[in-house]
Amino acid sequence: MCFGLVRDPSYNCSMDKLPLVGIVMGSKNDYDVLVAAVEILRTLEIPHEARVLSAHRTPDQLFAYVETARERGLRVMIAGAGGAAHLAGVIAAKTLMPVLAVPIAATPLNGLDSLLSMVQMPKGIPVATLAIGKPGAANAALFAAEILALNDPALYDRLVAWRAARAQEVLDQKLPD
Ligand code: RP5
């Protein structure tokens, strides 16, 4: 459930609070990658929503979504898409919220097409592009958390604990004899 202004049942909301992070993907098939972002946001207790919208196939609906995003409480956008991936750039063109882009390997070019489409934004419309695939999706969520933690000490503490746990995982690794 989502409280507040969200009435569209196609929104996938989380944590019974107004979402702070909006995840948009160009196809349901991209969710296999974007789920890595969802998992991080859940772990860090950051309210979020996820939705399928395509820059090419549903441009009007994408514009409508982005135009109301800030007034609905969203503060950071994560956009994942494959191929000629214009999703993040189009979102960035319509908002001043930070837009974090996740390139997805969805074509025979294995994500390089998506990476270059996202990273080569023209001066004036910034998009922060992460790595191709799940590592990029996870890092997009962590980056979103770092942005939100600037004004949320409790979230900052959760990030500190999350990173300490990752360090401990490495220190606990044992090599075979
Ligand atoms: C992009 O085209 C989507 O982001 C997806 O990665 C890719 C292929 O879309 P589908 O044919 O899987 O729906 O717009």
Side-chain angles (χ1 to χ4, degrees):
M1 275 297 292
C2 267
F3 294 130
L5 300 171
V6 179
R7 298 277 182 259
D8 184 340
S10 64
Y11 285 101
N12 173 10
C13 296
S14 168
M15 308 178 83
D16 288 349
K17 289 182 184 162
L18 274 179
L20 293 170
V21 178
I23 302 175
V24 182
M25 61 203 84
S27 166
K28 182 183 176 188
N29 295 322
D30 299 330
Y31 188 71
D32 286 347
V33 170
L34 270 303
V35 71
V38 171
E39 286 168 356
I40 295 281
L41 295 174
R42 281 186 185 142
T43 299
L44 293 172
E45 301 174 39
I46 297 172
H48 55 278
E49 64 182 21
R51 138 142 244 212
V52 178
L53 284 168
S54 166
H56 303 128
R57 293 176 283 192
T58 63
D60 295 339
Q61 292 87 345
L62 178 63
F63 271 32
Y65 174 80
V66 179
E67 279 168 351
T68 62
R70 186 172 162 77
E71 69 198 44
R72 289 193 303 104
L74 292 173
R75 291 296 176 260
V76 184
M77 302 295 304
I78 294 174
H86 297 122
L87 184 63
V90 168
I91 292 172
K94 294 291 285 181
T95 183
L96 288 172
M97 280 189 281
V99 178
L100 312 180
V102 182
I104 292 177
T107 78
L109 297 182
N110 289 322
L112 190 57
D113 43 359
S114 174
L115 171 67
L116 296 178
S117 300
M118 290 171 158
V119 81
Q120 286 297 103
M121 285 297 292
K123 180 181 177 182
I125 309 294
V127 164
T129 303
L130 287 299
I132 297 170
K134 281 193 171 191
N139 279 344
L142 290 165
F143 209 126
E146 290 178 2
I147 292 168
L148 295 169
L150 291 171
N151 293 305
D152 185 340
L155 175 56
Y156 185 86
D157 289 345
R158 293 198 293 279
L159 266 173
V160 169
W162 188 91
R163 193 171 278 197
R166 302 291 81 72
Q168 193 59 50
E169 280 174 4
V170 173
L171 295 173
D172 289 344
Q173 287 177 0
K174 299 272 185 279
L175 295 172
D177 293 331

